């Protein structure tokens, strides 16, 4: 059962891998730290494992910190607003972590470039590749941000609607399926059953 739940949840990582995160007003969170509750040593994002994501212009963070001074492990759950204020989460930490892992499962996650290094050439994409010069209608609804730009929830191209699927891995080591579309070289969308009239 745990294996099946894991398939539908985002994978935790070092919080430093999720940073920097930029709000729509231009404010940027580059570092994050919290004092160890046992010895008061400052624990940085490199010593925190979990998930941080920009959702509806707020950074949601759920992690476990590990103090390098005393070895204490402690939970961290908070929401950071676009004025860089950190707010406590009032729901139980385990429930908040579960919700956040599910909420960001389809959003781009940090990737290690080494994971995408391949020694053999990849086949050309089978799907569509479109960019700024093409006639693309972008949804005003945003699912978050990737590399500083908003991720439209859906797009319409050539009388068809496409729903956001995932971010393209770095280095171009991926293949598009026939029903997929690559937008601006970074975001992959999948054709929906809906046809635009």
């Amino acid at each position: 059962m745990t294996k099946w739940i894991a398939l539908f949840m985002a994978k935790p990582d070092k919080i430093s891998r999720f940073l920097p995160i930029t709000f729509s007003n231009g404010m940027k969170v580059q570092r994050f730290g919290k004092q160890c509750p046992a010895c008061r040593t400052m624990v940085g994002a490199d010593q925190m494992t979990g998930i941080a994501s920009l959702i509806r212009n707020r950074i949601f963070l759920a992690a476990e910190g590990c103090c390098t001074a005393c070895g204490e492990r402690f939970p961290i759950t908070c929401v950071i607003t676009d004025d860089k204020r950190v707010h406590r989460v009032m729901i139980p930490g385990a429930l908040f972590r579960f919700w956040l892992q599910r909420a960001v499962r389809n959003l781009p996650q940090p990737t290690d470039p080494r994971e995408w290094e391949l020694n053999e050439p990849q086949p050309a994409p089978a799907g569509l590749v479109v960019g700024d010069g093409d006639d693309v209608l972008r949804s005003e609804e945003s699912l978050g941000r990737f590399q500083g730009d908003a991720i439209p929830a859906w797009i319409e191209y050539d009388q068809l609607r496409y729903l956001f699927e995932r971010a393209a891995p770095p280095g171009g080591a991926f293949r598009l399926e026939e029903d997929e579309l690559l937008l601006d070289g970074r975001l992959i969308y999948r054709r929906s059953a809906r046809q635009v009239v």
Side-chain angles (χ1 to χ4, degrees):
M1 184 69 169
T2 306
K3 179 181 176 183
W4 287 105
I5 291 174
L7 288 174
F8 299 102
M9 298 177 69
K11 182 181 173 187
D13 207 334
K14 282 187 177 181
I15 293 301
S16 58
R17 295 274 309 279
F18 294 89
L19 303 176
I21 297 176
T22 305
F23 292 101
S24 60
N25 66 1
M27 293 287 272
K28 185 181 288 189
V29 174
Q30 294 180 299
R31 294 184 301 270
F32 183 80
K34 186 170 173 67
Q35 282 188 327
C36 170
C39 71
R40 311 310 289 171
T41 299
M42 187 57 75
V43 176
D46 277 335
Q47 285 79 47
M48 299 176 185
T49 303
I51 292 176
S53 185
L54 185 67
I55 303 172
R56 298 192 184 278
N57 213 33
R58 288 178 175 81
I59 298 173
F60 291 81
L61 190 148
E64 181 183 63
C66 181
C67 180
T68 54
C70 70
E72 178 79 9
R73 292 187 171 276
F74 56 96
I76 303 159
T77 55
C78 63
V79 176
I80 305 170
T81 50
D82 61 3
D83 55 1
K84 288 191 170 182
R85 291 190 184 183
V86 180
H87 303 272
R88 275 181 38 201
V89 173
M90 302 308 286
I91 62 174
L95 183 61
F96 179 69
R97 282 191 301 275
F98 178 78
W99 169 82
L100 185 56
Q101 285 183 296
R102 297 254 317 137
V104 303
R105 68 189 183 278
N106 290 324
L107 297 180
Q109 300 297 305
T111 54
D112 185 341
R114 291 172 298 180
E115 294 175 8
W116 304 105
E117 289 178 2
L118 298 174
N119 294 328
E120 51 193 57
Q122 293 298 298
L128 296 170
V129 178
V130 298
D132 279 337
D134 295 299
D135 188 19
V136 177
L137 175 66
R138 299 169 192 239
S139 161
E140 290 185 12
E141 179 188 355
S142 172
L143 298 176
R145 299 187 79 76
F146 181 60
Q147 296 179 348
D149 294 324
I151 303 169
W154 53 264
I155 63 170
E156 290 177 358
Y157 176 72
D158 197 23
Q159 310 244 326
L160 293 172
R161 179 167 284 196
Y162 294 80
L163 305 176
F164 177 74
E165 181 73 17
R166 65 190 184 280
F174 66 95
R175 187 173 191 281
L176 291 176
E177 300 298 326
E178 284 185 28
D179 61 346
E180 291 182 332
L181 178 149
L182 177 65
L183 179 67
D184 299 334
R186 297 178 300 168
L187 303 175
I188 297 174
Y189 288 77
R190 185 178 295 277
R191 189 168 56 232
S192 75
R194 174 176 174 178
Q195 183 165 357
V196 181
V197 183

